[in-house]
Amino acid sequence: MGSSILVSFGQVAFQAQFNPILIIIAWILGGLLVLPEMLLLSEGATSYPENGTSYYWIKRAKWNACSFWFGWIMVLFVSATAVATACLAFGNIVVTLLKLENQWYGKMFGILILFGLVLMQLLIKKSSGYSQIIFALLKGLPIVLVLIIAMVYGNTSSFTDDTINKNLSQIYLSSFLLLPATAMTMFAYSGMEAITYVSGEVINPRKNIPRAMIIATIMIVILYIILAIGLLTINKPQAWIGPNGFNNVWYYAIMNNPKIPPVLNYLFSILAIFIFVGSLNSFLVYHSRLIFKMSEEKDFFAFFQKTTKLTNMPYLAMLFLVILAVIYILWTSLFNVTNYFILAVSVLKFITMLSLIYLRINDSKYEPLYQKPLFIILVILALSSCLITFIGSILAMYYYAQNTHNMWELWNCLLVLGGMLSGYPLYYVKKWCAQKLKPKKQKDNINSKENG
């Protein structure tokens, strides 16, 4: 549970055309779509109780081009966009609180907090560990506050409005609208697979990992559905809109309800800052370690393994991640960056599912949790989820471009998709260059020894 509390709800509402019923259905469908994937990941994690999850599985399958491609997508289009999203959302809250109209101020605030956290992690010993514990506790405060506001000041007017019947009368259109709306929920639901990242450290993983995955998924899905209903009781979806669009829907939903004291509006926004700072703090730790790991596996340059003496943080990997995030922050909007994240995650999930199928068939050390018929059903559902998310995210970008009358927004999305796909052939270019340079290096080494 992190930055998606402010990022996802407005985007889901926008794609569902502000229909309260469709909004809730989208959150339910998103949760149902993610569950088969979690079950399959738990089988992979129990078969190979090693840290590293999908990346490790692809390496074990000896899909060298795929592992390089996986790293290419993960770092450039998932890690960097996750950091950029938290920065942009943080900046939007600060801009809202200070009543600034220029969104470049928000970008500036986001970049400043990013560099502040980097300096803290590089210069203060054990700061990343202690700060994550503190932020984990603080992140629950705004969630508790909005639920209290919903219970005390909420009403059912959103569910009696004419907008409920607006698209439900056309079943086909409603189903079509749910594709992009459901895709937007995936930003909130992504991250539950983190349980498998530490499968090598879990006691009795065959029993505890599947149990943890199922319980965590159900709890998070229920919590997001409750939050969606809570937001709808606080105000109608049309009242969530602020001058800067859907960047801070909770703030405007609370502010536009005359029954709610204004002080609660500002209190929520101040508490919500902890969510984004906490998310950024954990992103920097985890995603920089990912770059470090891929550098060890020779899928990235070796110099990314350099660490600081004081804090043992991979400072070059972290700097690379920050530079990529800043490019996203300056280049595009919060909605676009979120969409790039969803596109990339859907591609990575597809690669992960294929690697699990391959390992189950070909690796004697693979230990199935499910009977073959159930496994096939789960695979079909998980791959369908990847396809729905992929198509839905492109449709979401198309609708967004139409509404903003700026089709360049859609072309940006397609350019990012092209960048993702280019990672696979780049492996072979990298391999060819290495083979061409190898004889020259060997010859230089022989000459230097003879001269020596």
Side-chain angles (χ1 to χ4, degrees):
M1 192 75 179
S3 56
S4 54
I5 186 175
L6 260 73
V7 174
S8 298
F9 286 96
Q11 295 179 7
V12 173
F14 174 77
Q15 297 301 333
Q17 294 195 359
F18 312 111
N19 189 304
I21 299 299
L22 292 182
I23 291 169
I24 295 172
I25 291 174
W27 283 103
I28 295 171
L29 282 177
L32 292 174
L33 288 173
V34 82
L35 188 57
E37 176 203 344
M38 295 299 110
L39 293 172
L40 288 173
L41 290 177
S42 66
E43 181 174 274
T46 55
S47 297
Y48 309 110
E50 300 282 344
N51 294 348
T53 188
S54 305
Y55 183 70
Y56 172 80
W57 302 338
I58 296 168
K59 278 287 185 182
R60 188 174 181 87
K62 297 181 180 179
W63 293 356
N64 295 327
C66 261
S67 67
F68 176 83
W69 189 32
F70 190 95
W72 169 272
I73 297 173
M74 189 72 185
V75 174
L76 297 183
F77 302 105
V78 175
S79 298
T81 55
V83 173
T85 299
C87 287
L88 286 166
F90 169 85
N92 285 331
I93 287 183
V94 176
V95 166
T96 303
L97 285 172
L98 298 179
K99 300 187 183 301
L100 300 172
E101 295 183 1
N102 193 330
Q103 284 303 293
W104 283 98
Y105 286 118
K107 294 176 184 285
M108 179 189 70
F109 290 129
I111 292 171
L112 286 175
I113 193 64
L114 176 60
F115 278 100
L117 288 171
V118 168
L119 290 174
M120 180 188 73
Q121 292 193 16
L122 292 180
L123 301 178
I124 303 175
K125 198 172 183 180
K126 296 184 179 180
S127 61
S128 60
Y130 292 134
S131 58
Q132 286 195 72
I133 294 170
I134 294 169
F135 283 122
L137 297 172
L138 293 175
K139 284 198 295 184
L141 296 178
I143 296 168
V144 172
L145 178 63
V146 296
L147 290 176
I148 292 172
I149 293 172
M151 287 188 288
V152 175
Y153 298 99
N155 57 72
T156 59
S157 61
S158 292
F159 300 96
T160 57
D161 196 86
D162 292 338
T163 54
I164 288 181
N165 302 316
K166 183 179 178 183
N167 294 313
L168 292 177
S169 59
Q170 302 177 40
I171 301 299
Y172 172 78
L173 179 59
S174 296
S175 302
F176 196 64
L177 287 171
L178 280 172
L179 278 177
T182 303
M184 290 296 105
T185 67
M186 290 303 169
F187 180 78
Y189 290 139
S190 65
M192 288 182 290
E193 68 278 4
I195 295 169
T196 65
Y197 297 160
V198 290
S199 55
E201 303 167 32
V202 176
I203 298 171
N204 195 359
R206 195 164 180 81
K207 177 183 177 181
N208 289 324
I209 288 180
R211 182 185 294 176
M213 295 286 277
I214 293 169
I215 292 172
T217 303
I218 293 171
M219 286 178 64
I220 291 295
V221 170
I222 291 173
L223 184 54
Y224 271 111
I225 292 170
I226 290 171
L227 283 170
I229 295 171
L231 184 56
L232 286 166
T233 61
I234 288 172
N235 223 324
K236 297 178 182 179
Q238 293 85 346
W240 302 355
I241 306 173
N244 303 316
F246 291 96
N247 292 338
N248 194 350
V249 293
W250 291 92
Y251 176 91
Y252 291 107
I254 296 170
M255 184 181 74
N256 292 330
N257 186 332
K259 295 181 181 179
I260 300 176
V263 66
L264 293 178
N265 183 27
Y266 293 104
L267 179 59
F268 169 78
S269 294
I270 292 169
L271 292 176
I273 288 174
F274 294 127
I275 291 179
F276 299 108
V277 177
S279 296
L280 269 176
N281 190 62
S282 58
F283 288 160
L284 287 172
V285 174
Y286 167 68
H287 289 296
S288 62
R289 287 294 194 278
L290 177 67
I291 297 171
F292 181 89
K293 176 66 176 175
M294 291 176 175
S295 176
E296 282 187 328
E297 297 291 339
K298 299 181 180 179
D299 280 333
F300 283 95
F301 297 109
F303 58 74
F304 284 127
Q305 297 174 45
K306 292 184 178 181
T307 59
T308 59
K309 292 182 180 179
L310 181 63
T311 59
N312 198 36
M313 295 294 290
Y315 63 95
L316 288 179
M318 192 176 288
L319 180 62
F320 179 62
L321 179 63
V322 167
I323 291 171
L324 290 174
V326 169
I327 292 171
Y328 278 113
I329 293 167
L330 297 176
W331 178 34
T332 187
S333 66
L334 179 60
F335 176 83
N336 291 3
V337 176
T338 306
N339 210 58
Y340 302 156
F341 177 91
I342 295 168
L343 266 177
V345 167
S346 63
V347 173
L348 293 182
K349 286 180 179 179
F350 185 78
I351 299 170
T352 300
M353 293 303 111
L354 292 181
S355 69
L356 283 175
I357 295 168
Y358 176 85
L359 289 169
R360 177 164 170 143
I361 295 170
N362 297 285
D363 192 348
S364 59
K365 292 186 177 180
Y366 193 98
E367 299 180 9
L369 275 175
Y370 317 111
Q371 296 295 324
K372 189 175 180 180
L374 179 58
F375 179 79
I376 292 171
I377 292 170
L378 290 174
V379 166
I380 292 171
L381 291 173
L383 291 177
S384 300
S385 172
C386 295
L387 185 62
I388 289 170
T389 306
F390 184 81
I391 295 172
S393 59
I394 293 176
L395 283 174
M397 211 64 217
Y398 173 73
Y399 292 145
Y400 181 75
Q402 272 196 327
N403 278 273
T404 57
H405 305 291
N406 183 8
M407 293 307 292
W408 177 245
E409 303 284 0
L410 178 61
W411 287 111
N412 272 345
C413 180
L414 297 177
L415 285 172
V416 169
L417 180 59
M420 277 187 267
L421 297 177
S422 69
Y424 193 87
L426 274 178
Y427 168 79
Y428 294 100
V429 174
K430 171 180 169 285
K431 188 176 179 180
W432 181 81
C433 291
Q435 289 174 343
K436 287 291 182 182
L437 292 172
K438 191 174 181 180
K440 184 179 183 303
K441 287 182 179 179
Q442 289 176 342
K443 186 177 179 180
D444 291 341
N445 290 334
I446 292 170
N447 291 335
S448 62
K449 287 178 181 178
E450 289 176 352
N451 293 332

